[in-house]
């Protein structure tokens, strides 16, 4: 929630495009860094999805289609999606 207004944030653009977005409105950070594509591919790692990370940081991520991992991260996503209902 405290990063949605930062320079380079795409939160408003997502909302304007009709893409669902939920934010962690707690005093803590939802600090997961993963994406699931087509319910079949997982991207996970230290990579901060920012311009600074893309241009300057030492970051890492893995891409896998391991069904067990995709399923575990999909469950985590669904739990977070429910937890951060507006």
């Amino acid at each position: 929630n405290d990063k949605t207004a930062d320079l380079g944030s795409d939160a408003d653009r997502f909302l304007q495009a009709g893409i669902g977005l939920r934010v962690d409105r707690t005093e803590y950070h939802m600090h997961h860094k993963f994406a699931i594509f087509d319910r079949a591919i997982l991207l996970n790692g230290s990579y901060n999805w920012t311009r600074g990370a893309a241009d300057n940081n030492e970051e890492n991520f893995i891409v896998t289609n391991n069904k067990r991992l995709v399923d575990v991260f999909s469950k985590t996503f669904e739990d977070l999606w429910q937890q951060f209902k507006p």
Side-chain angles (χ1 to χ4, degrees):
N1 59 325
D2 61 338
K3 296 295 184 184
T4 58
D6 281 4
L7 182 63
S9 171
D10 290 321
D12 286 335
R13 193 170 68 146
F14 286 177
L15 292 171
Q16 290 173 6
I19 298 170
L21 179 71
R22 298 200 178 161
V23 290
D24 175 357
R25 297 190 189 283
T26 70
E27 62 184 285
Y28 307 106
H29 294 293
M30 192 292 300
H31 208 246
H32 290 285
K33 300 169 186 175
F34 68 89
I36 301 164
F37 301 93
D38 299 327
R39 299 180 185 183
I41 299 170
L42 168 69
L43 183 151
N44 183 49
S46 72
Y47 187 77
N48 285 307
W49 298 39
T50 63
R51 288 188 189 133
D55 294 341
N56 304 309
N57 292 1
E58 297 291 334
E59 303 276 4
N60 69 74
F61 63 86
I62 61 165
V63 178
T64 183
N65 63 353
N66 179 290
K67 182 172 175 12
R68 186 179 65 79
L69 290 174
V70 171
D71 289 348
V72 167
F73 278 85
S74 294
K75 170 82 168 80
T76 298
F77 175 85
E78 292 302 328
D79 290 347
L80 290 166
W81 191 254
Q82 292 305 311
Q83 179 181 345
F84 298 129
K85 281 185 178 178

